[in-house]
Coordinates of all heavy atoms in Angstrom, one line a residue:
M1 N 0.8 -1.2 0.0 CA 0.0 0.0 0.0 C 0.9 1.2 0.0 O 1.9 1.3 0.7 CB -0.9 0.0 1.2 CG -1.7 1.3 1.4 SD -2.5 1.3 3.0 CE -3.4 2.9 2.8
T2 N 0.5 2.2 -0.8 CA 1.2 3.5 -0.9 C 0.2 4.6 -0.7 O -0.8 4.6 -1.5 CB 2.0 3.6 -2.2 OG1 3.0 2.6 -2.2 CG2 2.7 5.0 -2.3
T3 N 0.4 5.5 0.2 CA -0.4 6.7 0.3 C 0.5 7.9 0.6 O 1.5 7.7 1.3 CB -1.4 6.5 1.5 OG1 -2.3 5.4 1.2 CG2 -2.3 7.7 1.7
G4 N 0.1 9.0 0.0 CA 0.9 10.2 0.3 C 0.1 11.4 0.0 O -1.1 11.3 -0.3
P5 N 0.7 12.6 0.2 CA 0.0 13.8 -0.1 C -0.4 13.9 -1.5 O 0.3 13.4 -2.4 CB 0.9 14.9 0.3 CG 2.3 14.3 0.4 CD 2.1 12.8 0.6
G6 N -1.6 14.6 -1.8 CA -2.0 14.8 -3.2 C -1.1 16.0 -3.7 O -0.3 16.6 -3.0
H7 N -1.3 16.3 -5.0 CA -0.6 17.4 -5.7 C 0.9 17.2 -5.5 O 1.6 18.2 -5.3 CB -1.1 18.7 -5.1 CG -2.6 18.9 -5.1 ND1 -3.3 19.1 -6.3 CD2 -3.5 18.8 -4.1 CE1 -4.6 19.1 -6.0 NE2 -4.7 18.9 -4.7
S8 N 1.4 16.0 -5.5 CA 2.8 15.7 -5.3 C 3.3 14.7 -6.3 O 2.9 13.6 -6.4 CB 3.0 15.1 -3.9 OG 4.2 14.4 -3.8
D9 N 4.3 15.2 -7.1 CA 4.9 14.3 -8.1 C 5.5 13.1 -7.5 O 5.5 12.0 -8.0 CB 5.9 15.1 -8.9 CG 5.3 16.0 -9.9 OD1 4.1 16.0 -10.1 OD2 6.1 16.8 -10.6
D10 N 6.1 13.3 -6.3 CA 6.8 12.2 -5.6 C 5.7 11.1 -5.2 O 6.0 9.9 -5.4 CB 7.4 12.8 -4.3 CG 8.2 11.7 -3.6 OD1 9.1 11.1 -4.3 OD2 8.0 11.5 -2.4
T11 N 4.6 11.5 -4.7 CA 3.5 10.6 -4.4 C 3.1 9.9 -5.7 O 2.9 8.6 -5.7 CB 2.3 11.3 -3.8 OG1 2.6 11.9 -2.6 CG2 1.1 10.3 -3.5
Y12 N 2.9 10.6 -6.8 CA 2.4 10.0 -8.0 C 3.4 9.0 -8.6 O 3.0 8.0 -9.1 CB 2.0 11.1 -9.0 CG 1.0 12.1 -8.5 CD1 0.9 13.4 -9.1 CD2 0.0 11.7 -7.5 CE1 -0.1 14.3 -8.6 CE2 -0.9 12.6 -7.1 CZ -1.0 13.9 -7.7 OH -2.0 14.8 -7.2
K13 N 4.7 9.3 -8.5 CA 5.7 8.4 -9.0 C 5.6 7.1 -8.2 O 5.7 6.0 -8.7 CB 7.1 9.0 -8.8 CG 7.4 9.9 -10.0 CD 8.9 10.5 -9.8 CE 9.1 11.7 -10.6 NZ 10.0 12.7 -10.0
R14 N 5.5 7.2 -6.9 CA 5.4 6.0 -6.0 C 4.2 5.2 -6.3 O 4.2 4.0 -6.4 CB 5.5 6.4 -4.5 CG 6.9 6.8 -4.1 CD 7.1 6.9 -2.6 NE 6.4 8.0 -2.1 CZ 5.4 7.9 -1.1 NH1 5.2 6.7 -0.6 NH2 4.8 9.0 -0.7
T15 N 3.0 5.8 -6.4 CA 1.8 5.1 -6.7 C 1.9 4.4 -8.1 O 1.4 3.3 -8.2 CB 0.5 5.9 -6.5 OG1 0.6 7.1 -7.4 CG2 0.3 6.3 -5.1
K16 N 2.4 5.1 -9.0 CA 2.6 4.5 -10.4 C 3.5 3.2 -10.3 O 3.2 2.2 -10.9 CB 3.2 5.5 -11.4 CG 2.3 6.5 -11.9 CD 1.3 6.0 -12.9 CE 1.9 5.9 -14.3 NZ 0.9 5.5 -15.3
S17 N 4.6 3.4 -9.5 CA 5.5 2.2 -9.4 C 4.8 1.0 -8.7 O 5.2 -0.1 -8.8 CB 6.8 2.6 -8.7 OG 6.6 2.7 -7.3
Q18 N 3.8 1.3 -7.9 CA 3.0 0.3 -7.2 C 1.8 -0.2 -8.0 O 1.1 -1.1 -7.6 CB 2.4 0.9 -5.9 CG 3.5 1.2 -4.8 CD 4.1 0.0 -4.3 OE1 3.5 -0.9 -3.8 NE2 5.5 -0.1 -4.3
G19 N 1.7 0.3 -9.2 CA 0.7 -0.2 -10.1 C -0.5 0.6 -10.5 O -1.4 0.2 -11.2
A20 N -0.5 1.9 -10.0 CA -1.6 2.8 -10.3 C -1.7 3.0 -11.8 O -0.7 3.1 -12.5 CB -1.4 4.2 -9.7
L21 N -2.9 3.0 -12.4 CA -3.1 3.0 -13.8 C -2.7 4.4 -14.4 O -2.3 4.5 -15.5 CB -4.6 2.8 -14.2 CG -5.1 1.4 -14.0 CD1 -6.6 1.3 -14.5 CD2 -4.3 0.4 -14.7
N22 N -3.0 5.5 -13.6 CA -2.8 6.8 -14.1 C -2.0 7.7 -13.1 O -1.9 7.4 -11.9 CB -4.2 7.5 -14.3 CG -4.8 7.0 -15.6 OD1 -5.5 6.0 -15.6 ND2 -4.6 7.7 -16.7
W23 N -1.5 8.8 -13.7 CA -0.9 9.9 -12.9 C -2.0 10.6 -12.1 O -3.2 10.7 -12.6 CB -0.3 10.9 -13.9 CG 0.7 11.8 -13.2 CD1 0.4 13.2 -13.0 CD2 2.0 11.6 -12.8 NE1 1.5 13.7 -12.5 CE2 2.5 12.8 -12.3 CE3 2.8 10.4 -12.7 CZ2 3.8 12.9 -11.7 CZ3 4.0 10.5 -12.1 CH2 4.5 11.7 -11.7
G24 N -1.7 11.0 -10.9 CA -2.7 11.7 -10.1 C -3.2 10.9 -8.9 O -4.1 11.3 -8.2
C25 N -2.6 9.7 -8.7 CA -3.1 8.7 -7.7 C -2.4 9.1 -6.4 O -1.1 9.0 -6.3 CB -2.8 7.3 -8.1 SG -3.2 6.1 -6.9
F26 N -3.1 9.4 -5.3 CA -2.5 9.6 -4.0 C -2.5 8.5 -3.1 O -1.9 8.5 -2.0 CB -3.1 10.9 -3.4 CG -4.5 10.7 -2.8 CD1 -4.7 10.2 -1.6 CD2 -5.6 11.2 -3.6 CE1 -6.0 10.0 -1.1 CE2 -6.9 11.0 -3.1 CZ -7.1 10.4 -1.9
S27 N -3.2 7.4 -3.5 CA -3.3 6.2 -2.6 C -3.6 5.0 -3.5 O -4.6 5.1 -4.3 CB -4.4 6.4 -1.5 OG -4.4 5.2 -0.7
I28 N -2.9 3.9 -3.3 CA -3.2 2.7 -4.0 C -3.1 1.6 -3.0 O -2.2 1.5 -2.2 CB -2.3 2.5 -5.3 CG1 -2.7 1.3 -6.1 CG2 -0.8 2.4 -4.9 CD1 -3.5 1.6 -7.3
K29 N -4.1 0.7 -3.1 CA -4.1 -0.4 -2.1 C -4.7 -1.6 -2.7 O -5.6 -1.6 -3.4 CB -4.9 0.1 -0.9 CG -4.8 -0.9 0.3 CD -5.5 -0.4 1.5 CE -5.3 -1.4 2.7 NZ -6.2 -1.1 3.8
Q30 N -4.2 -2.8 -2.2 CA -4.8 -4.1 -2.5 C -6.0 -4.3 -1.6 O -5.8 -4.3 -0.4 CB -3.8 -5.2 -2.3 CG -2.6 -5.2 -3.3 CD -1.7 -6.3 -3.1 OE1 -1.3 -6.6 -1.9 NE2 -1.4 -7.0 -4.1
R31 N -7.2 -4.4 -2.2 CA -8.4 -4.4 -1.4 C -8.7 -5.8 -1.1 O -9.0 -6.6 -1.9 CB -9.5 -3.7 -2.1 CG -9.3 -2.2 -2.2 CD -9.5 -1.6 -0.8 NE -9.0 -0.2 -0.7 CZ -8.9 0.5 0.4 NH1 -9.2 -0.1 1.6 NH2 -8.5 1.7 0.4
R32 N -8.8 -6.1 0.2 CA -9.0 -7.5 0.7 C -10.4 -8.0 0.3 O -10.5 -9.2 -0.1 CB -8.9 -7.5 2.2 CG -9.0 -8.8 2.9 CD -8.8 -8.7 4.4 NE -9.7 -7.7 5.0 CZ -11.0 -7.9 5.3 NH1 -11.6 -9.0 5.1 NH2 -11.7 -6.9 5.8
L33 N -11.4 -7.2 0.3 CA -12.8 -7.7 -0.1 C -12.9 -8.2 -1.5 O -13.8 -8.9 -1.8 CB -13.8 -6.5 0.1 CG -14.1 -6.2 1.6 CD1 -15.1 -5.0 1.6 CD2 -14.7 -7.4 2.4
I34 N -12.0 -7.7 -2.3 CA -12.0 -8.2 -3.7 C -10.7 -9.0 -4.1 O -10.2 -9.0 -5.2 CB -12.2 -7.0 -4.7 CG1 -11.2 -5.9 -4.5 CG2 -13.6 -6.5 -4.6 CD1 -11.2 -4.8 -5.5
G35 N -10.3 -9.7 -3.0 CA -9.2 -10.7 -3.3 C -7.8 -10.0 -3.5 O -6.9 -10.6 -4.1
G36 N -7.6 -8.8 -3.0 CA -6.3 -8.2 -3.1 C -6.2 -7.4 -4.4 O -5.0 -7.0 -4.8
Y37 N -7.2 -7.2 -5.1 CA -7.1 -6.4 -6.4 C -6.9 -4.9 -6.1 O -7.3 -4.4 -5.0 CB -8.4 -6.6 -7.2 CG -8.2 -6.2 -8.7 CD1 -7.4 -7.0 -9.5 CD2 -8.6 -4.9 -9.1 CE1 -7.2 -6.6 -10.8 CE2 -8.4 -4.5 -10.4 CZ -7.7 -5.4 -11.3 OH -7.4 -5.0 -12.6
L38 N -6.1 -4.2 -6.9 CA -5.7 -2.9 -6.7 C -6.8 -1.8 -7.0 O -7.5 -1.9 -8.0 CB -4.5 -2.5 -7.5 CG -3.2 -3.1 -7.1 CD1 -2.1 -2.8 -8.2 CD2 -2.7 -2.5 -5.8
V39 N -7.0 -0.9 -6.0 CA -7.9 0.2 -6.2 C -7.2 1.5 -5.8 O -6.5 1.5 -4.7 CB -9.2 0.1 -5.4 CG1 -10.2 1.3 -5.7 CG2 -9.9 -1.2 -5.7
G40 N -7.2 2.5 -6.6 CA -6.5 3.8 -6.3 C -7.5 4.9 -6.0 O -8.6 4.8 -6.4
C41 N -6.9 6.0 -5.4 CA -7.7 7.2 -5.2 C -6.9 8.3 -5.9 O -5.7 8.4 -5.8 CB -7.7 7.6 -3.7 SG -8.6 6.3 -2.7
Y42 N -7.7 9.1 -6.7 CA -7.0 10.1 -7.6 C -7.5 11.5 -7.3 O -8.6 11.8 -6.9 CB -7.4 9.7 -9.0 CG -6.8 8.4 -9.5 CD1 -7.4 7.2 -9.1 CD2 -5.6 8.4 -10.2 CE1 -6.8 6.0 -9.5 CE2 -5.0 7.2 -10.6 CZ -5.6 6.0 -10.3 OH -5.0 4.8 -10.6
V43 N -6.6 12.4 -7.6 CA -6.8 13.9 -7.6 C -7.3 14.3 -9.0 O -6.6 14.1 -9.9 CB -5.6 14.6 -7.2 CG1 -5.8 16.2 -7.3 CG2 -5.0 14.2 -5.8
V44 N -8.5 14.8 -9.1 CA -9.1 15.0 -10.4 C -8.2 15.9 -11.2 O -7.9 15.6 -12.4 CB -10.5 15.7 -10.3 CG1 -11.0 16.2 -11.6 CG2 -11.5 14.7 -9.7
E45 N -7.7 17.0 -10.7 CA -7.0 18.0 -11.5 C -5.6 17.5 -12.0 O -5.1 18.0 -12.9 CB -6.9 19.4 -10.8 CG -6.0 19.4 -9.6 CD -5.8 20.8 -9.0 OE1 -5.6 21.7 -9.8 OE2 -5.9 21.0 -7.8
D46 N -5.1 16.5 -11.3 CA -3.8 15.9 -11.8 C -4.0 14.6 -12.6 O -3.0 14.0 -13.0 CB -2.9 15.6 -10.5 CG -2.5 16.9 -9.9 OD1 -2.4 17.9 -10.5 OD2 -2.3 16.9 -8.6
F47 N -5.2 14.1 -12.7 CA -5.5 12.9 -13.4 C -5.2 13.0 -14.9 O -5.6 14.0 -15.5 CB -6.9 12.5 -13.2 CG -7.3 11.2 -13.8 CD1 -6.8 10.0 -13.3 CD2 -8.2 11.1 -14.8 CE1 -7.2 8.7 -13.8 CE2 -8.6 9.9 -15.4 CZ -8.1 8.7 -14.8
D48 N -4.4 12.1 -15.5 CA -4.0 12.3 -16.9 C -4.9 11.5 -17.8 O -4.5 11.3 -19.0 CB -2.5 11.9 -17.0 CG -2.2 10.5 -16.7 OD1 -3.1 9.8 -16.2 OD2 -1.0 10.1 -16.9
G49 N -6.0 10.9 -17.3 CA -6.9 10.2 -18.2 C -8.1 11.1 -18.5 O -8.1 12.3 -18.4
D50 N -9.2 10.5 -18.8 CA -10.5 11.2 -19.1 C -11.1 11.7 -17.9 O -11.6 11.0 -17.0 CB -11.4 10.2 -19.8 CG -12.7 10.9 -20.2 OD1 -12.8 12.1 -20.1 OD2 -13.6 10.2 -20.6
R51 N -11.2 13.1 -17.8 CA -11.8 13.7 -16.6 C -13.2 14.1 -16.8 O -13.8 14.8 -15.9 CB -10.9 14.9 -16.2 CG -9.6 14.6 -15.6 CD -8.9 15.8 -15.1 NE -8.3 16.5 -16.1 CZ -7.6 17.6 -15.9 NH1 -7.5 18.2 -14.7 NH2 -7.0 18.3 -16.9
S52 N -13.8 13.8 -17.9 CA -15.1 14.4 -18.2 C -16.1 13.9 -17.2 O -16.2 12.7 -16.8 CB -15.6 14.0 -19.7 OG -15.5 12.6 -19.8
G53 N -16.9 14.8 -16.7 CA -17.9 14.5 -15.7 C -17.4 14.7 -14.3 O -18.2 14.6 -13.3
Y54 N -16.1 14.9 -14.1 CA -15.5 15.0 -12.8 C -14.9 16.4 -12.5 O -14.3 16.6 -11.5 CB -14.4 13.9 -12.6 CG -14.9 12.5 -12.6 CD1 -15.2 11.8 -13.7 CD2 -15.2 11.9 -11.4 CE1 -15.7 10.6 -13.7 CE2 -15.8 10.7 -11.3 CZ -16.0 10.0 -12.5 OH -16.6 8.7 -12.4
E55 N -15.1 17.3 -13.5 CA -14.5 18.6 -13.4 C -14.8 19.4 -12.1 O -14.1 20.2 -11.6 CB -14.8 19.5 -14.6 CG -14.4 19.0 -15.9 CD -15.4 18.1 -16.6 OE1 -16.3 17.5 -15.9 OE2 -15.3 17.9 -17.8
H56 N -16.0 19.1 -11.6 CA -16.4 19.8 -10.4 C -16.2 19.1 -9.1 O -16.7 19.5 -8.0 CB -17.9 20.2 -10.5 CG -18.2 21.0 -11.8 ND1 -17.7 22.3 -11.9 CD2 -18.8 20.7 -12.9 CE1 -18.1 22.7 -13.1 NE2 -18.7 21.8 -13.8
W57 N -15.4 18.0 -9.1 CA -15.1 17.3 -7.9 C -13.6 17.4 -7.7 O -12.8 17.7 -8.6 CB -15.5 15.8 -8.1 CG -17.0 15.6 -8.2 CD1 -17.7 15.4 -9.4 CD2 -18.0 15.7 -7.2 NE1 -19.0 15.3 -9.1 CE2 -19.2 15.5 -7.8 CE3 -17.9 15.9 -5.8 CZ2 -20.4 15.5 -7.1 CZ3 -19.1 15.9 -5.1 CH2 -20.3 15.7 -5.7
N58 N -13.2 17.0 -6.5 CA -11.8 17.0 -6.1 C -11.1 15.7 -6.3 O -10.0 15.6 -6.7 CB -11.6 17.4 -4.7 CG -12.0 18.9 -4.4 OD1 -11.9 19.7 -5.2 ND2 -12.6 19.1 -3.2
Y59 N -11.9 14.6 -6.0 CA -11.3 13.3 -6.0 C -12.3 12.2 -6.6 O -13.5 12.5 -6.6 CB -10.9 12.8 -4.6 CG -10.1 13.8 -3.8 CD1 -10.6 14.7 -2.9 CD2 -8.7 13.8 -4.0 CE1 -9.8 15.5 -2.1 CE2 -7.9 14.7 -3.3 CZ -8.5 15.5 -2.4 OH -7.7 16.4 -1.6
F60 N -11.7 11.1 -6.9 CA -12.5 9.9 -7.1 C -11.7 8.7 -6.9 O -10.4 8.8 -6.7 CB -13.1 9.9 -8.6 CG -12.1 9.9 -9.6 CD1 -11.4 8.7 -10.0 CD2 -11.8 11.0 -10.3 CE1 -10.4 8.7 -11.0 CE2 -10.8 11.1 -11.3 CZ -10.1 9.9 -11.6
A61 N -12.3 7.5 -6.8 CA -11.5 6.3 -6.7 C -11.7 5.6 -8.0 O -12.7 5.7 -8.7 CB -12.1 5.4 -5.5
M62 N -10.7 4.8 -8.3 CA -10.7 4.0 -9.6 C -10.0 2.7 -9.4 O -8.9 2.6 -8.9 CB -10.1 4.8 -10.7 CG -10.2 4.0 -12.1 SD -9.5 5.0 -13.5 CE -7.8 4.8 -13.2
C63 N -10.7 1.6 -9.7 CA -10.0 0.3 -9.6 C -9.1 0.1 -10.8 O -9.2 0.8 -11.8 CB -11.1 -0.8 -9.5 SG -12.0 -1.1 -11.0
N64 N -8.3 -0.9 -10.7 CA -7.4 -1.1 -11.8 C -8.0 -1.8 -13.0 O -7.3 -2.1 -14.0 CB -6.1 -1.9 -11.4 CG -5.0 -0.9 -10.9 OD1 -5.3 0.2 -10.5 ND2 -3.8 -1.3 -11.1
H65 N -9.3 -2.0 -13.0 CA -10.0 -2.4 -14.2 C -10.3 -1.1 -15.0 O -10.9 -1.1 -16.1 CB -11.3 -3.1 -13.9 CG -11.2 -4.4 -13.1 ND1 -11.6 -4.5 -11.8 CD2 -10.6 -5.5 -13.5 CE1 -11.3 -5.8 -11.4 NE2 -10.7 -6.4 -12.4
G66 N -10.1 0.1 -14.4 CA -10.3 1.4 -15.1 C -11.7 1.9 -14.8 O -12.1 2.9 -15.5
N67 N -12.4 1.4 -13.9 CA -13.8 1.9 -13.6 C -13.7 2.9 -12.4 O -13.2 2.6 -11.4 CB -14.8 0.8 -13.3 CG -15.0 0.0 -14.6 OD1 -15.4 0.6 -15.6 ND2 -14.8 -1.3 -14.5
K68 N -14.4 4.0 -12.6 CA -14.3 5.1 -11.6 C -15.5 5.1 -10.7 O -16.7 4.9 -11.1 CB -14.2 6.5 -12.2 CG -13.0 6.7 -13.2 CD -13.0 8.1 -13.6 CE -11.9 8.4 -14.7 NZ -12.5 8.1 -16.1
S69 N -15.3 5.6 -9.4 CA -16.4 5.9 -8.5 C -17.0 7.2 -8.9 O -16.5 7.9 -9.8 CB -15.9 6.0 -7.1 OG -15.2 7.2 -6.9
S70 N -18.1 7.6 -8.2 CA -18.6 9.0 -8.4 C -17.6 9.9 -7.8 O -16.7 9.5 -7.0 CB -19.9 9.1 -7.8 OG -19.9 8.6 -6.5
G71 N -17.6 11.2 -8.2 CA -16.7 12.2 -7.7 C -17.0 12.5 -6.3 O -18.2 12.5 -5.8
V72 N -16.0 12.9 -5.5 CA -16.2 13.3 -4.1 C -15.4 14.5 -3.8 O -14.5 14.9 -4.5 CB -15.8 12.1 -3.1 CG1 -16.7 10.9 -3.3 CG2 -14.4 11.7 -3.3
D73 N -15.6 15.1 -2.6 CA -15.0 16.3 -2.2 C -13.7 16.1 -1.4 O -12.9 17.0 -1.3 CB -15.9 17.2 -1.4 CG -17.0 17.9 -2.2 OD1 -16.6 18.2 -3.4 OD2 -18.1 18.1 -1.8
T74 N -13.7 15.1 -0.6 CA -12.6 14.9 0.4 C -11.8 13.6 0.2 O -12.3 12.7 -0.4 CB -13.1 14.9 1.8 OG1 -13.8 13.7 2.0 CG2 -14.0 16.1 2.1
R75 N -10.5 13.7 0.7 CA -9.7 12.5 0.6 C -10.4 11.3 1.3 O -10.3 10.1 0.8 CB -8.4 12.7 1.3 CG -7.3 13.4 0.5 CD -6.1 13.7 1.4 NE -5.4 12.5 1.8 CZ -4.2 12.1 1.2 NH1 -3.7 12.8 0.3 NH2 -3.7 11.0 1.6
K76 N -11.0 11.6 2.5 CA -11.6 10.5 3.2 C -12.7 9.8 2.4 O -12.8 8.6 2.4 CB -12.2 11.0 4.5 CG -12.8 10.0 5.4 CD -13.5 10.5 6.6 CE -14.2 9.4 7.4 NZ -15.1 8.6 6.5
D77 N -13.5 10.7 1.7 CA -14.6 10.1 0.9 C -14.0 9.3 -0.2 O -14.6 8.3 -0.6 CB -15.5 11.2 0.3 CG -16.3 11.9 1.4 OD1 -16.5 11.3 2.5 OD2 -16.9 13.0 1.1
A78 N -12.9 9.7 -0.8 CA -12.3 9.0 -1.9 C -11.8 7.6 -1.4 O -12.0 6.6 -2.1 CB -11.1 9.7 -2.5
I79 N -11.2 7.6 -0.2 CA -10.8 6.3 0.4 C -12.0 5.4 0.7 O -11.9 4.2 0.4 CB -9.9 6.5 1.6 CG1 -8.5 7.1 1.1 CG2 -9.7 5.3 2.4 CD1 -7.6 7.7 2.1
D80 N -13.1 6.0 1.2 CA -14.3 5.2 1.4 C -14.8 4.6 0.1 O -15.2 3.4 0.0 CB -15.4 6.1 2.0 CG -15.2 6.4 3.5 OD1 -14.3 5.7 4.1 OD2 -15.8 7.3 4.0
Q81 N -14.7 5.4 -1.0 CA -15.1 4.9 -2.3 C -14.2 3.8 -2.8 O -14.6 2.9 -3.5 CB -15.2 6.0 -3.3 CG -16.3 7.0 -3.2 CD -17.7 6.3 -3.4 OE1 -17.8 5.6 -4.3 NE2 -18.6 6.6 -2.5
A82 N -12.9 3.9 -2.5 CA -12.0 2.8 -2.9 C -12.3 1.5 -2.3 O -12.0 0.4 -2.9 CB -10.5 3.2 -2.5
K83 N -13.0 1.5 -1.1 CA -13.4 0.2 -0.5 C -14.6 -0.4 -1.1 O -15.0 -1.5 -0.8 CB -13.7 0.5 1.0 CG -12.4 0.9 1.8 CD -12.8 1.4 3.2 CE -11.6 1.9 3.9 NZ -12.0 2.6 5.1
M84 N -15.3 0.4 -2.0 CA -16.6 0.0 -2.5 C -16.6 -0.2 -4.0 O -17.6 0.1 -4.7 CB -17.6 1.2 -2.2 CG -17.8 1.5 -0.7 SD -18.3 0.1 0.2 CE -20.0 -0.1 -0.4
S85 N -15.4 -0.6 -4.6 CA -15.4 -0.7 -6.0 C -16.3 -1.7 -6.6 O -16.7 -1.6 -7.8 CB -13.9 -1.1 -6.4 OG -13.6 -2.3 -5.9
M86 N -16.8 -2.6 -5.8 CA -17.9 -3.6 -6.2 C -19.2 -2.9 -6.6 O -20.0 -3.4 -7.3 CB -18.1 -4.7 -5.2 CG -18.7 -4.3 -3.9 SD -17.6 -3.4 -2.9 CE -16.5 -4.6 -2.2
D87 N -19.3 -1.6 -6.2 CA -20.5 -0.9 -6.5 C -20.5 -0.2 -7.9 O -21.5 0.2 -8.4 CB -20.8 0.2 -5.4 CG -21.3 -0.4 -4.1 OD1 -21.5 -1.6 -4.1 OD2 -21.4 0.4 -3.2
Y88 N -19.3 0.0 -8.4 CA -19.2 0.7 -9.7 C -18.4 0.0 -10.7 O -18.1 0.5 -11.8 CB -18.6 2.2 -9.5 CG -17.4 2.3 -8.6 CD1 -16.1 2.0 -9.2 CD2 -17.5 2.6 -7.3 CE1 -15.0 2.1 -8.4 CE2 -16.3 2.7 -6.5 CZ -15.1 2.5 -7.0 OH -14.0 2.6 -6.3
C89 N -18.0 -1.3 -10.4 CA -17.2 -2.1 -11.4 C -17.8 -3.5 -11.3 O -17.7 -4.1 -10.3 CB -15.7 -2.1 -11.0 SG -14.8 -3.2 -12.1
S90 N -18.3 -4.0 -12.4 CA -18.9 -5.3 -12.4 C -17.8 -6.4 -12.2 O -18.1 -7.4 -11.7 CB -19.7 -5.5 -13.7 OG -18.8 -5.4 -14.8
T91 N -16.6 -6.2 -12.7 CA -15.6 -7.1 -12.5 C -15.2 -7.2 -11.0 O -15.0 -8.3 -10.5 CB -14.3 -6.8 -13.4 OG1 -14.8 -6.6 -14.7 CG2 -13.4 -8.0 -13.4
C92 N -15.1 -6.1 -10.4 CA -14.8 -6.1 -8.9 C -16.0 -6.7 -8.2 O -15.8 -7.4 -7.2 CB -14.6 -4.6 -8.4 SG -13.0 -4.0 -8.8
A93 N -17.2 -6.5 -8.7 CA -18.4 -7.2 -8.0 C -18.3 -8.7 -8.1 O -18.6 -9.4 -7.2 CB -19.7 -6.7 -8.7
S94 N -17.8 -9.2 -9.2 CA -17.6 -10.6 -9.4 C -16.5 -11.1 -8.4 O -16.6 -12.2 -7.8 CB -17.1 -11.0 -10.8 OG -18.1 -10.6 -11.7
L95 N -15.4 -10.3 -8.3 CA -14.3 -10.7 -7.4 C -14.8 -10.7 -5.9 O -14.5 -11.6 -5.2 CB -13.2 -9.7 -7.5 CG -12.3 -9.7 -8.8 CD1 -11.3 -8.6 -8.8 CD2 -11.5 -11.1 -8.8
F96 N -15.7 -9.7 -5.6 CA -16.3 -9.7 -4.3 C -17.1 -10.9 -4.0 O -17.0 -11.5 -2.9 CB -17.1 -8.4 -4.2 CG -17.8 -8.2 -2.9 CD1 -17.1 -8.0 -1.7 CD2 -19.2 -8.2 -2.8 CE1 -17.8 -7.9 -0.5 CE2 -19.9 -8.1 -1.6 CZ -19.2 -7.9 -0.5
E97 N -17.9 -11.3 -5.0 CA -18.8 -12.5 -4.8 C -17.9 -13.7 -4.6 O -18.1 -14.6 -3.8 CB -19.7 -12.7 -6.0 CG -20.8 -11.7 -6.1 CD -21.7 -11.8 -4.9 OE1 -22.1 -12.9 -4.5 OE2 -22.1 -10.7 -4.4
L98 N -16.8 -13.8 -5.4 CA -15.9 -14.9 -5.3 C -15.2 -15.1 -4.0 O -14.9 -16.2 -3.5 CB -14.8 -14.7 -6.4 CG -14.0 -15.9 -6.9 CD1 -15.0 -16.9 -7.6 CD2 -13.0 -15.4 -7.9
H99 N -14.9 -13.9 -3.3 CA -14.1 -13.9 -2.1 C -14.9 -13.8 -0.8 O -14.3 -13.9 0.2 CB -13.0 -12.9 -2.2 CG -11.9 -13.2 -3.2 ND1 -12.0 -12.7 -4.5 CD2 -10.8 -14.0 -3.2 CE1 -11.0 -13.2 -5.2 NE2 -10.2 -13.9 -4.4
K100 N -16.2 -13.6 -0.9 CA -16.9 -13.4 0.3 C -17.2 -14.7 1.0 O -17.3 -15.7 0.3 CB -18.1 -12.5 0.1 CG -19.3 -13.2 -0.4 CD -20.5 -12.2 -0.4 CE -21.7 -12.8 -1.1 NZ -22.7 -11.7 -1.3
K101 N -17.2 -14.7 2.3 CA -17.3 -15.9 3.0 C -18.8 -16.1 3.4 O -19.5 -15.2 3.7 CB -16.5 -15.9 4.3 CG -15.0 -15.6 3.9 CD -14.1 -16.1 5.0 CE -12.6 -16.1 4.6 NZ -12.1 -14.7 4.4
Ligands
ZN1 ZN1 -12.8 -3.2 -10.9

């Protein structure tokens, strides 16, 4: 797991090296509920992918299947969304079903 301050090239370099799909990731973690699959939290203004629909938000979470959560205002909300990737990614939902006891 790698987490650091947002708006930081150093953080973004570290999260990329840990497997983050895009630039702008301030936290990347293997999520236990989905069998250790990676989900990241991103700063909208530093995200180097498609930001359409997120311009008015500060953050979102995105699993490494490339599916994004809804936009949120705070880091804490982004991390909460990172735990819920089964709600916005059908592949994560399948992983969740596979790994739940
Ligand atoms: Zn996913």
Side-chain angles (χ1 to χ4, degrees):
M1 173 186 181
T2 297
T3 298
H7 309 287
S8 158
D9 285 353
D10 185 52
T11 299
Y12 300 156
K13 278 183 199 144
R14 284 192 293 123
T15 54
K16 282 287 278 190
S17 76
Q18 294 290 307
L21 289 184
N22 282 88
W23 195 252
C25 178
F26 70 83
S27 177
I28 185 100
K29 187 174 182 192
Q30 293 182 311
R31 290 290 168 191
R32 186 177 49 82
L33 288 176
I34 52 172
Y37 197 75
L38 285 169
V39 183
C41 298
Y42 292 81
V43 176
V44 171
E45 66 174 318
D46 293 333
F47 184 66
D48 63 354
D50 179 10
R51 288 189 278 180
S52 56
Y54 291 85
E55 296 91 339
H56 301 293
W57 297 102
N58 295 324
Y59 306 101
F60 59 81
M62 182 176 77
C63 71
N64 268 28
H65 300 115
N67 291 306
K68 301 186 188 87
S69 74
S70 49
V72 296
D73 282 328
T74 67
R75 277 176 68 103
K76 182 187 177 304
D77 287 343
I79 287 165
D80 287 345
Q81 287 295 317
K83 297 170 185 167
M84 303 298 293
S85 63
M86 64 291 281
D87 287 353
Y88 47 83
C89 172
S90 60
T91 312
C92 284
S94 301
L95 289 171
F96 177 66
E97 289 300 316
L98 200 64
H99 290 93
K100 83 177 171 189
K101 301 201 170 71

